[in-house]
Amino acid sequence: MPIVGVGLWHISKNTVAKACKGIARAISEGLVSRQDLFITSKLWCTYHKREHVKPALQRTLSDLGLDYVDLYLIHFPIALKFVPFEKRYPPEWSYEEGGPVIPENVPYQETWEAMEDLVRDGLAKNIGISNTPGAMIYDILTYAKIRPAVLQIELHPYLVRKELVDLAHSEGIAVTAYSSFGDASYQEIGMVPQGQQLVSLLKNDVVNQVSAKIGKTPAQVLLRWAVQRGCAVIPKSSNPGRLLENKDLFSFELSPEDVDAISGLDRKLIFNNPAGYAKRAIWAS
């Protein structure tokens, strides 16, 4: 799995087909070979039942024009009522568009065993988990015949998650950090908690002091902080210059003191929290 990937943002139900077809076109036109790409996709919450897991990936592969994905993740440890493709695709959170979130009683073990079948069928090279608490990881490892290859989680200096990262690494599970810039992705969609006197990570004094000292951008500092903690990163940008900057993470290092100073910003602040928008409190304590 690459250390630096490209994340996607604002791929809506109206644009998903167009976005997916771009990959197939790039391959067919010889701009890139399939072997040069590492494609990750996720199983959505409405497809957790055993009989829905494979069709969900097959639909994704059809959209992408591919025979397999390199990594397939369970998006959330949340099972929701099944929404048929012909009713709405992608289904988002609600069974009825704009209606309430309706949970479905599906054991996570059932979903994971169906994910393992995808590997055996050659539809996914690797399988993994996303947004998964530590206790649940321990449980998965008691029955998994194919262990999770990757744990993808929200991770940034306001949400350091040292114990969760250490747990994954101790079990040989790679960690991918999303939302490396913290609040930056969530400001425009109203998912930043109000009243916390929050300073944007990209404007944070500690991050900017390190940035000025080493001559790199605040974004590069934040990404390098995650990489030096042994995590892969998937920053989102449509700006060609920023995409190049985001890849330039291996020409410099942060000192241990700088890593510790940035980690000291931890506020255990989760922006992508389904307790708020889906009434599913997976991080409750």
Side-chain angles (χ1 to χ4, degrees), residues 16-27:
V16 63
K18 183 178 179 181
C20 289
K21 284 181 170 56
I23 296 173
R25 190 179 75 179
I27 295 172

Side-chain angles (χ1 to χ4, degrees), residues 39-58:
I39 304 294
T40 300
S41 189
K42 295 180 181 179
L43 178 77
W44 185 239
C45 305
T46 51
Y47 306 127
H48 275 217
K49 281 191 173 181
R50 185 185 303 274
E51 62 266 28
H52 298 148
V53 172
K54 185 174 181 179
L57 177 53
Q58 288 174 322

